[in-house]
Each structure stands twice: as C-alpha cells, then as structure tokens.
Amino acid sequence: MTPAVPRGVSTLESATTGPESDPTASTGQVAAGSVDERTSDPGPADGTTTGGDTAATRADADAPDAPGVPAGTTAGRRRWPTWRRDVGVFGLFLLAAIWVTSQIWVDPAGRVASLYSSDPAQVQFFLAHSVRVVLHGEFPFYTEQFNYPDGVNLMANTAILALGIPMVPITLLFGPAVTFVVLVTLALAGTASTWYYVLSRHVVRTPLAAVVGGWFCGFSPAMLSHANWHPNIISQWLLPFIVWRVLVITRSRRPVRDGAILALLVTWQAFINEEILLFTAMACGIFLIAVVAQRRDLWSAAWRPMAVALGVCTLVAGSLLAYPLYVQFGGPMAYHGLSDAVRDYGNDIAAFVTPGSPTLGGNERANANLAPNYSEENAFFGWSLALITVGIVLWLRRELVVRALAVTGVFYAVLSLGERISWWDRELFTGPWEWLVHLPLLDAVVPTRFGMITTVVIGVLLAIAVERAWATRPLAQHTRTLVGAGLVMALLPIAPMPLKVTSRPPVPDFITSDEWRRYVATEQTLVPVPIPSMGNTHGMRWAASTNLDFKIPGGYFLAPRNGNTGDPGRFGGRPSGVGEILQEVATTGRAPKLDDRERRRSLDELRYWRAAIMVLPVDQKNVEPLRQTVEQLVGPARRERDVWLWDVRPITTRAD
C-alpha cells in the first residue's frame, strides 16, 4: 500500500521523505530512492515505471545499481537478472501453493475439505455455469438450473465469472473438481506473486523484503483458512495493482487515462469477489485520510488529479457494472442484507494472538470458539507475529506511511470483531459494527473478513521492516540479525501446512453414464434424495459433473426469504416440506410414518418442481430409511446401476 520509486512519485508518497522520516533509513525509505527525482529522467507522466527503471532493477539488498549499468549488473560484478529472480520467486510461491493443496491434488473429485463440503460443491456448480455461458450463451447473472423453478440470482451469490470463464477449457477437459483445485493453487501463488511484484517495484528495494511481504500476503493463516472453501476470496492477485493505481492517481499527469485503468481493474475484481473489492476501496480511503491528516499540505496538490481520475473511474466502472448490479440488487431473487446466520460473524480478540488451524503451530480444538468456523479464521497471527508487528510500528513510528498503515490495520481489526467484542469466548461489550451493520453495502458483508485487510497491512509492514534492517547503517549487521531472528519467530509457527481433506461419495454411475437422459426432459428436474440444501450438496456436484445439463430443486445459495424478491437474505429458497422430512431422515436414520397431509404437500412440491425422477445412491448414508420414506410418497423404487430410482412423471405431469 506504499510507494517507492522516485520517478513520478505521488505527492502523498513523497511525504515519507520529509523531515519526519527516520534519518537512519535513507537508502530504504519507502518513497525515497538513490536517484534524485529532480535530476533523473521524469519517466511516464502517470507515475508508473518502465521495465528498465524500477526499484527491483536498480537496487539489491545493499545498494543501487551504478548509473549507466544495465539492469541486473553492477560496476565490477554481475548480478542475477531481475527477470530470473522474479521467475524464481514465482516458482517458489507456486511450489508452496502445490504443497498446501497437495492432499486435494491426489484425487480432486474424491477429496474435499475435512470439515465442510458445501462451499466447494457450490463453487463447482458455478464453474459449470461458466461453461454454459460460453458454450450455450446462457444468461450469466441468473440461472434456473438449481432451485428450479424459482432460480438463483448469481450476481448476489459470487458466481466468480471472472475466474470460471477463463477456466472453461480446463473444466471441459477435466471437470469442475479439477478446476476448483487449480483455482485454489493459482490463487495462493498468484496473490503472493503480485504482492511481491508490486512491493519490489514500488515499495522496497531489497528483494528479500518483497519476498517476505508477498509470502505473508499469499500464505497467511487467513488465506489458508479460506483455501479449502473460497477460491473467490483468496484470488486477491488484482488487489496490489488496484492499490498501486489508487496511489498513482494522487499525482497523475494523465488522470483520465489512469482513472480508466483503475476502472478496468475494479470491474475485473467485481466479477471475482465484490466483498474484497469493497474492503480494498475502504482501506485505500482510510490510508489516504490517515496520510493527509498527518501532512495536510499534501492535499492541495493531490485532490485535483485524484478527483478527475476517480470521476472517470466511477463513470467507466459504473457503466460496465450498471446492469450486473441492477440484476444483483433489483433483479429476480434479489435479497437485501445477509442471513442472520452470518451477519454477526466476528473474530474473538484472542484470535489475533493464536496460530491458525492450517498452520504448523495451529490447533483446531484450541481455535474452536475463536472464529465463526474453520473457514473463517481471518486473523490468527500468533503471539510472536502480533508482538513483532507492534514492535515494527514502534521502531518505525517516525515514518508517516508506517503510521498510516498502522491506523488502517487497527481500524480493520476492530471492525472484524463484529457486533459483540469477546476475549476467549467471553463477551465483553458491544462493538462498533453494531451501528454499521445496517448501512447500505455493509449489510451484505461478513465482518470477520475485515481481518484480511489487517493481514495485508502486516505483510507490507514486514516488507518495510526487512527493507529498513537491510539498509540501516551503522550497525546494519546487528539489525539484520535481529530482524531475521524475529521473522523466524513470527512466521515459523504460522508456516502453511497441507490442507486437511476427507473423502466424499463419487458421482453415481447413473449420472456419469448419462442414463438419466432417458427420463429427464429440458423443463423437468432430477430430484436427488435428500433434496439439495446447505448441508447436503452432493446433488449439486452431480449436476456440475454434467455441466448442468439437468435442473435440480433446492441447493446451497443465498436468496430472499420465502423466495420473495427484495426480502432479507437466507440460505436456501422456499421452505420445503419434503426437503425437511428427507433431511431429518438422512440425519437421524429413522423413517417416519407420513400422514395424508404430509404426502399431499410433498406431491404438490414435486409437481411444482416438475420432477421427472427421484434418485437415491445405494451407498448413501441411511439409505434404507430414506428409501422407505420416499416409497411412502411415490411408491416402490427400482434399482438402476448404483442408484434407487423413482419415475414420478405419471404423478407430476397429470392434470390437477
């Protein structure tokens, strides 16, 4: 979030080279460089750099390249070319991402997160939808392929079109389960790589500093927590560029062009994850306010280009996103506000000093009550890193940018605590989120995820600390040793470990062999037993494996309560009588005795869904009580391949 190249450096960035800056950090200053901006080539007017004049190509851990010497060399000795170093770092991050996802790579279709399986199935369904968008020209923002016939508003459900559409070839060749693990792997490695790239070009001169910052941003406990479930949330590889372009416009000489570039990045990120985009926009604003509050003289030069660029960004991005956002907030099956089940998700204060579950020092049992669930461990830095972060801020407190970063990180940490502030699961008092949760847009975010911005702030602070340690003189060696030891103490307990997985039932042969096509017409549904819901998403995986060639009722998604457009959100569609009955049987293993009212209601729902067949895998848990329950509704089942099958077309298509 901080700048570093002297060419075209913005007014706000130049604040770090003022009298307040640490005099011992001359060569490592965030916005300073060894080249005098007044005497060097002014470079591009927009504040960007060219490939041959960046912090990474002009400097290494100790000193900048000599003037006139090609990038990657110095007078008297040859250095590793920058592009080779970059490739090596990118390769390191990719290997680390493969290590983290290694247990899923063993069998992508047969393995899933050990604690929750619903979110991966939902993502795979959305990936299959992208195939239909590309191959069949289907409407991208809404579908009736699940929750039929009401359908689902995909713009309100993070359909990850910006990820799914580019991955269509892989989905077609290998299936959505493989695409899922590819996305997770690339998201981790890509986020770390882009943060490294931006840090090395615009924030720090020491390659190691950029590597440390990029590593933490890509493989933090929060990122690992989401990796098993939410590739859309961990796909943050655009965020470093968005943040940098926001800083560029504070002193842009081409604000129209720079505003348009920022608009394209914003639009792209909106189709990956809107929530993370909102957090990033807020963070940029808070950071800039914190800078200007300390150096008010910067505002006079920054506001004009920034106002023009933001105006252009709003116009361009608003035009591109106007219709999708209309569908999201005003289209069919739109909802207003999140489900009560997640609206009050917040971090426990103790979560900031405890290692994350998927890390070397993590303990799932110890973390049980410190986060809403294991997929939302959005802090979990551990005591060492928490204390070292405080130490970095105190050490570099004279630097304006460090203070502004600290303000931003603390602001987001407080918001992530949610509506009720707690310490080791003991409620203390009401948090500020209690008064913010009802504001427009904020009523649709999960507060615990604010902690992911605090994570990014810590990553940048770590990079700056390493930079200062490697650049400080005298006593540089002692400072390097101290900071190096601190990094080991801070990062080793939260080193990433392979994600824990478990096996899941395969898609039935009846589905994969296309036997179902003999029964199900275009406007009919295949009804999995139990009915697809938040707790049972196997039927969604069946549909995804066929690229959604058949429709299903129910599913796991966000929709307005009772299916009424504009109502508050909830997980799932209209309440289903037969769905509740079969879910209870699947959970308890007890087949109830159904009365006439329950049978009539269940048959009415099957007709509403235009059901063609009901399908129950023979290896389904509690298969016998489930089969007995369905037989009370529609009669005896017959065995076909590896499923019990009920052909209900004579019941659902007859005249009322």
Side-chain angles (χ1 to χ4, degrees), residues 85 97 226 236 241 248 291 347 354 356 371 379 382 393 405 415-416 419 432 489 527 573 606-607 626 647:
R85 183 181 66 219
H226 286 281
Q236 298 181 16
F241 299 110
V248 163
V291 169
N347 291 325
T354 305
V393 174
L405 284 170
L415 287 187
S416 76
E419 298 179 72
M489 292 176 58
V527 181
L606 291 175
R607 294 187 185 102
L626 282 168
D647 185 348

Side-chain angles (χ1 to χ4, degrees), residues 347-355 363-371 380 383 417 420-428:
N347 291 325
D348 192 292
I349 295 176
F352 290 92
V353 296
T354 305
N363 186 321
E364 288 182 356
R365 293 185 178 181
N367 296 357
N369 297 318
L370 302 183
F380 293 87
W383 275 109
L417 300 176
R420 304 289 182 269
I421 309 299
S422 61
W423 169 255
W424 289 106
D425 202 29
R426 291 185 59 186
E427 185 175 317
L428 302 178

Side-chain angles (χ1 to χ4, degrees), residues 288-305:
L288 293 176
I289 290 171
V291 169
V292 171
Q294 299 173 78
R295 289 284 305 277
R296 297 183 181 181
D297 57 297
L298 300 176
W299 179 246
S300 59
W303 77 267
R304 288 182 178 85

Side-chain angles (χ1 to χ4, degrees), residues 98-127:
I98 293 173
W99 157 256
V100 170
T101 57
S102 56
Q103 297 302 306
I104 312 177
W105 273 112
V106 172
D107 182 10
R111 293 192 172 188
V112 71
S114 59
L115 295 172
Y116 314 109
S117 61
S118 297
D119 288 69
Q122 183 192 61
V123 172
Q124 291 172 32
F125 194 96
F126 292 156
L127 292 172

Side-chain angles (χ1 to χ4, degrees), residues 168-373:
V168 163
I170 293 178
T171 305
L172 285 172
L173 288 173
F174 304 106
V178 172
T179 303
F180 177 87
V181 67
V182 169
L183 284 177
V184 171
T185 305
L186 294 180
L188 293 171
T191 299
S193 296
T194 55
W195 273 113
Y196 157 79
Y197 183 89
V198 170
L199 288 170
S200 66
R201 267 59 177 182
H202 306 302
V203 180
V204 294
R205 296 174 178 277
T206 306
L208 177 61
V211 171
V212 170
W215 171 270
F216 187 74
C217 290
F219 296 94
S220 67
M223 293 285 284
L224 298 175
S225 171
H226 286 281
N228 243 339
W229 296 279
H230 305 137
N232 57 308
I233 291 178
I234 64 173
S235 293
Q236 298 181 16
W237 31 268
L238 284 179
L239 301 194
F241 299 110
I242 292 175
V243 170
W244 174 244
R245 299 310 303 184
V246 168
L247 295 177
V248 163
I249 65 176
T250 62
R251 195 183 176 186
S252 173
R253 298 178 186 176
R254 299 178 182 175
V256 173
R257 188 198 66 173
D258 290 334
I261 292 174
L262 181 60
L264 295 178
L265 292 171
V266 166
T267 302
W268 193 356
Q269 177 62 36
F271 288 110
I272 297 176
N273 187 273
E274 293 174 317
E275 189 175 44
I276 296 298
L277 175 61
L278 175 62
F279 292 171
T280 304
M282 291 172 57
C284 290
I286 293 165
F287 175 80
L288 293 176
I289 290 171
V291 169
V292 171
Q294 299 173 78
R295 289 284 305 277
R296 297 183 181 181
D297 57 297
L298 300 176
W299 179 246
S300 59
W303 77 267
R304 288 182 178 85
M306 189 165 59
V308 173
L310 290 179
V312 172
C313 177
T314 302
L315 179 63
V316 175
S319 299
L320 295 173
L321 293 172
Y323 182 66
L325 292 178
Y326 163 74
V327 174
Q328 177 176 345
F329 294 105
M333 296 298 286
Y335 59 87
H336 296 159
L338 284 181
S339 165
D340 292 337
V342 298
R343 194 182 67 179
D344 61 349
Y345 275 10
N347 291 325
D348 192 292
I349 295 176
F352 290 92
V353 296
T354 305
S357 296
T359 63
L360 181 62
N363 186 321
E364 288 182 356
R365 293 185 178 181
N367 296 357
N369 297 318
L370 302 183
N373 55 56

Side-chain angles (χ1 to χ4, degrees), residues 23-112:
T24 66
S26 58
T27 60
Q29 202 61 272
V30 177
S34 60
V35 181
D36 191 334
E37 184 183 9
R38 294 169 297 178
T39 59
S40 63
D41 179 7
D46 65 325
T48 60
T49 62
T50 59
D53 185 26
T54 66
T57 59
R58 289 183 289 104
D60 70 354
D62 295 313
D65 291 343
V69 179
T73 66
T74 60
R77 68 184 176 92
R78 183 177 182 80
R79 291 182 183 164
W80 209 28
T82 301
W83 71 267
R84 289 186 180 179
R85 183 181 66 219
D86 291 346
V87 170
V89 172
F90 298 158
L92 170 66
F93 291 154
L94 181 59
L95 288 175
I98 293 173
W99 157 256
V100 170
T101 57
S102 56
Q103 297 302 306
I104 312 177
W105 273 112
V106 172
D107 182 10
R111 293 192 172 188
V112 71

Side-chain angles (χ1 to χ4, degrees), residues 118-119 121-123 125-126 142-159 332-335 338-339 531-537 540 552-564 568-576 609:
S118 297
D119 288 69
Q122 183 192 61
V123 172
F125 194 96
F126 292 156
Y142 175 85
T143 184
E144 291 183 342
Q145 296 306 117
F146 67 139
N147 194 39
Y148 186 83
D150 292 339
V152 175
N153 189 319
L154 296 177
M155 276 302 298
N157 275 272
T158 316
M333 296 298 286
Y335 59 87
L338 284 181
S339 165
I531 310 301
S533 64
M534 182 179 180
N536 177 51
T537 54
M540 295 179 67
I552 59 173
Y556 173 37
F557 53 90
L558 278 163
R561 295 175 186 173
N562 302 315
N564 298 321
R570 55 161 285 171
F571 289 107
R574 301 173 188 269
S576 166
W609 296 335

